[in-house]
Amino acid sequence: MRPDVDAHRPDQTAHRSVRGVGWSSLAALTAMAAAHTLGAEVVDPLIDPVSFYAFVPGGGEAILVGGTILAAVGVALVVRAYRAGLATGRVPALAMATFAVAMVLVGVFPTDPPGVATTFSAAVHRTSAAAAFVVLPVVGHCVARAVPSPRSLAPRRLRRATVGLAVLVVAFLAVHLPLAAVGSGIVAFGLLERVGFVLMIGYLFLLADTLDREEIHSVPTPTPTAGPAAGVSGPRPVDLAV
């Protein structure tokens, strides 16, 4: 008898999204590490934002590569979420599309050098960076809510991370935006921004883990193939009438 193909599907798809996020994140971190290396002598990672690497030859390209990779990862995750039935409606797609576009725009439009009046490019850069962090928790919230009966702890972890990330983003923007408006900034802003980048990658890992675990368990158990006598309730009665 030919083995049922669907019976092997869970083993084939296990950790697929997590592996994808892992390799992609490694590539994005490599690009960011390259930017840090190129600007090691002129950019202070504890104080200066990541966007200052755009003023170093090759630094802007590295930032664009890192942001584009994470944008592609986000789009791939939300596509799989829809296919797995863990995303419905337009909100997850719009939120992830906003995230992806914002991550690319951060690299395309560099910020201004210190002491320069805000330009259009800097406004797009800063708005995009903030938008990427704001909309990402929306995607996780939609996915966690779409799991009616969780069969793992992944949705719960994703839900908690969503609340935590949302609180951190709101608190950070509430403090930073008023300071930026008067020409100041948060102490150790550079360090906080880099920590935020790592948290973003960690959040994508949690989203991928939820998709892997819940999609696997959502695969229906294959039913046994009916035998040749399936559907036959018993022998046909014999008509004994003469």
Side-chain angles (χ1 to χ4, degrees), residues 199-222:
L199 290 177
M200 177 185 293
I201 292 177
Y203 190 80
L204 291 175
F205 266 108
L206 289 176
L207 180 59
D209 186 51
T210 301
L211 297 180
D212 283 338
R213 294 178 184 275
E214 296 303 318
E215 182 186 37
I216 289 173
H217 288 287
S218 66
V219 177
T221 304

Side-chain angles (χ1 to χ4, degrees), residues 32 35-36 43 48-54 63 189-190 193-194 197:
M32 298 305 295
H36 281 66
V43 179
D48 299 328
V50 175
S51 53
F52 278 13
Y53 291 111
I63 294 174
F189 176 80
E193 193 176 51
R194 286 157 179 80
F197 187 78

Side-chain angles (χ1 to χ4, degrees), residues 19 29 48 79 136 166 209:
R19 286 197 301 268
L29 289 172
D48 299 328
V79 168
L136 192 56
D209 186 51

Side-chain angles (χ1 to χ4, degrees), residues 103-162:
M103 292 301 294
V104 174
L105 291 180
V106 165
V108 173
F109 291 90
T111 190
D112 295 326
V116 176
T118 303
T119 63
F120 174 77
S121 177
V124 173
H125 177 91
R126 296 166 187 171
T127 303
S128 299
F133 280 99
V134 169
V135 300
L136 192 56
V138 176
V139 181
H141 169 73
C142 293
V143 170
R145 189 180 60 178
V147 183
S149 301
R151 295 171 173 86
S152 70
L153 295 177
R156 180 182 298 178
R157 289 193 292 262
L158 178 62
R159 191 176 297 109
R160 290 176 177 175
T162 297

